[in-house]
Amino acid sequence: MPARPLRVAVVGGGPGGLYAAALLKRLDPERHVTVWERNPPDETFGFGVVLSDETLGGIEHADPVVHAALSEDFVRWDDIDIVHRGVRHRSGGHGFAALGRHRLLEILHERCRSLGVDLRFRTRAPDTAGLAAHHDLVIAADGVHSTTRETHAAVFRPRVTEHRCRYIWLAADFAFDAFRFDIAETGHGVMQLHGYPYAADASTVIVEMREEVWRAAGFDELGVRESVERCAKIFSEALRGRPLRSGNSAWTTFRTVANERWSHGNVVLLGDAAHTAHFSIGSGTKLAVEDALALAACLEERPDVATALAAYEEERRPVVASTQRAARASLEWFENLGLYLGLPSRQFAFNLLTRSRRVTHDNLRLRDARFTGAVEREFGCPPGTPPMFTPFRLRGLTLRNRVVVSPMDMYSATDGVPGDFHLVHLGARALGGAGLVMTEMVCVSERGRITPGCTGLYTGRQAEAWRRITDFVHTRAPGTAIGVQLGHSGRKGSTKLMWEGMDEPLPDANWPLVAASPLPYKPGGQTPRRLTRAQLTDIREQFTTAAERAARAGFDLLELHCAHGYLLSGFLSPLTNLRTDAYGGSLERRLRFPLEVFEAVRAVWPAERPMTVRISATDWAGGGTTAEDAVGIARAFAAHGADAIDVSTGQVVAEERPEFGRSYQTPFADRIRHEARVPVIAVGAISSWDDVNSLILAGRTDLCALGRPHLYDPNWTLHAAAEQGYEGPGAGWPDPYRAGSRRPRTGRTDAPKPRLRLGG
């Protein structure tokens, strides 16, 4: 490939392809840039386009001519309206800019022609191999149904996911005065309208509903004209009785596109050909334009095409992945909209606004303090109290705030006895202000340990050592509760300490393992023995004996560990439970032994003290536990007396493929809370107090468990209070620490201000 691409082919005349063509021609007028578009110049999908200030800033910097033309036609507004059961709530300060899609294309057509780009409409591009052979660079901007991508699928390795809602892209001949979300609860199910202005006299209107609602309402049997008329009637109030029009749109399902690679030789994917993001966060055109900006910059900065394409992908991939995670969260929120309809109306609106996890409590408070304050009052926050510092009651235990120090294995015990390390570790976090501090998984037997460094409650000496720790918490950190997590390692036992080789078998002195089925956790690992009925009874008694010791040791709460592939989790997952007896097969039968253990422990655990259960809500592997299964598991434990479900995910099978990201496990907790109607503890990359406030106030969880943030900062909760200016009962500083309740001053960082201003 040449160092400087002079002959450039662009396949696809959408905004991304056109803008890439204009940028490359502007950067080097000697380039010959050709755009092939199979449709006429005025044919497009949809009506309006929303661009962020960030994207517009990039356009302004790269091409002021295009920016100026766009600015002349933009419609700008700040408000979002959410209509929930006839009540409208408005949130301001959001800042939107939109224009018609046809006008956007006209501006880009004009710019390309003025620069000398060869635009070929109503013309299919030659085959990719031919283009690649006769051009220095081929930009495939041919959309979600990209022919280029499919031609080289073996190289790009695309993943296309089709989702559960049907939608149709329409327009109305009047301008909404805000971005509007309207909910219609019909006899067939829930439908929603997304609407926003794109001109002084026109608005985009998208009507969306789940597939089964679409069919039940008879839309599958209606033509486009009849569908449009029906939608106008359903949302007549939002539309002020005015009609809708369809353009070239028809009912479709959204497809999320992702690719393992974005380039092949001198062919590179751009925009929807490379990735898609659900329209509910308005990022499709934004991503395509930003792709074009990045690609042009990389071609300008790098010495040759190959390194430029690699740099382009490296730069854009994390941005796109983050956007797709947000879009997926938003998409799933609308797919499951029915779960949230019972929320108080302001909380429903806040939940909708924060659905993608990109808009947060603190961010929304900056945008619209009035609206956010009203949501807080409706939630029950006393004046000046962030949501995370409101109390929460579980049985006879009232937690002073919603922060939990998550169970974290320390692998630092000797013979299962917690020592000074555990006293300092747990004591420091209790002093740090959390409402509840959890122990690591405390093993119910010597053979139930994960590693030789795990703690236990199978001897009196261990119980005495734990009593020392609970006494410290209760006397030196009053107001903080301490909970114990009981578990058995199952097939994941007899391994090295984490820092010596996580999940790796011990080189010697191994102990035999037991599990629901004789399946090793990892290839080459020890194969566990299948538990007999008599052994199940013995293990159940080990749990109850440990629970009795935990009660005498002074723990305030007990959590049963049924997650992460340990023994009880191994019964719940169909990937690890292959039994054909009464303890395997259907979910009801897979639940049998964990429920037997829960009932036995609940019977000996003091009635006034709460019990929680940690579960893996998904195995992140095909054929494993599903989100629907997780709801069923949560319901079963709640029916047997669980006071809350601690919702984690994964670590059940070694071949899992988690979808990591900020707060990535919270949607599972959210669903369980609303479907199973049981309090939940959310976990999983919750790292900021803003996240905690957002999740609590939106009603997605009742408590938030944080692990790594508390390793980084034992006083995380107290510091969160200080940073928010909160000094109430939800975060009391220990008396010896009060002098440190303000951030220490640092050296001067401002520069001296100029004293004189001299005229020229």
Side-chain angles (χ1 to χ4, degrees), residues 10 12-14 35-40 43 120-125:
V10 180
V35 177
W36 279 270
E37 170 54 53
R38 63 183 180 179
N39 294 315
E43 184 172 318
R120 301 183 183 183
F121 295 105
R122 299 183 179 87
T123 307
R124 287 186 176 274

Side-chain angles (χ1 to χ4, degrees), residues 171-338:
D173 292 324
F174 73 96
F176 285 118
D177 61 355
F179 205 125
R180 184 174 177 117
F181 294 100
D182 211 296
I183 314 301
E185 297 178 62
T186 75
H188 307 291
V190 183
M191 305 175 188
Q192 59 258 20
L193 174 149
H194 312 241
Y196 60 86
Y198 68 85
D201 58 355
S203 296
T204 289
V205 175
I206 305 167
V207 177
E208 183 184 27
M209 65 199 74
R210 283 175 64 130
E211 174 86 15
E212 61 269 28
V213 176
W214 180 75
R215 292 188 181 279
F219 283 111
D220 59 326
E221 298 177 353
L222 297 179
V224 172
R225 183 176 61 80
E226 293 84 359
S227 284
V228 173
E229 291 173 356
R230 181 90 174 273
C231 289
K233 288 180 182 178
I234 292 169
F235 292 101
S236 59
E237 184 176 343
L239 298 169
R240 307 171 200 170
R242 303 185 188 188
L244 291 168
R245 52 188 170 86
S246 68
N248 296 323
S249 187
W251 290 105
T252 187
T253 55
F254 189 80
R255 293 152 56 95
T256 296
V257 174
N259 288 275
E260 290 190 24
R261 290 187 59 183
W262 291 10
S263 65
H264 170 45
N266 63 344
V267 179
V268 63
L269 302 178
L270 184 144
D272 283 355
H275 46 70
T276 58
H278 192 249
F279 55 79
S280 61
I281 67 167
S283 290
T285 302
K286 171 183 182 295
L287 286 176
V289 168
E290 291 176 351
D291 280 355
L293 285 164
L295 178 60
C298 290
L299 287 165
E300 192 73 5
E301 297 163 355
R302 302 292 170 156
D304 54 63
V305 171
T307 56
L309 298 188
Y312 158 72
E313 182 172 345
E314 183 180 7
E315 176 183 335
R316 293 296 295 158
R317 185 177 285 280
V319 176
V320 168
S322 176
T323 302
Q324 286 191 315
R325 284 194 297 270
R328 180 69 179 260
S330 179
L331 176 155
E332 290 178 348
W333 193 92
F334 283 108
E335 284 184 341
N336 298 301
L337 174 61

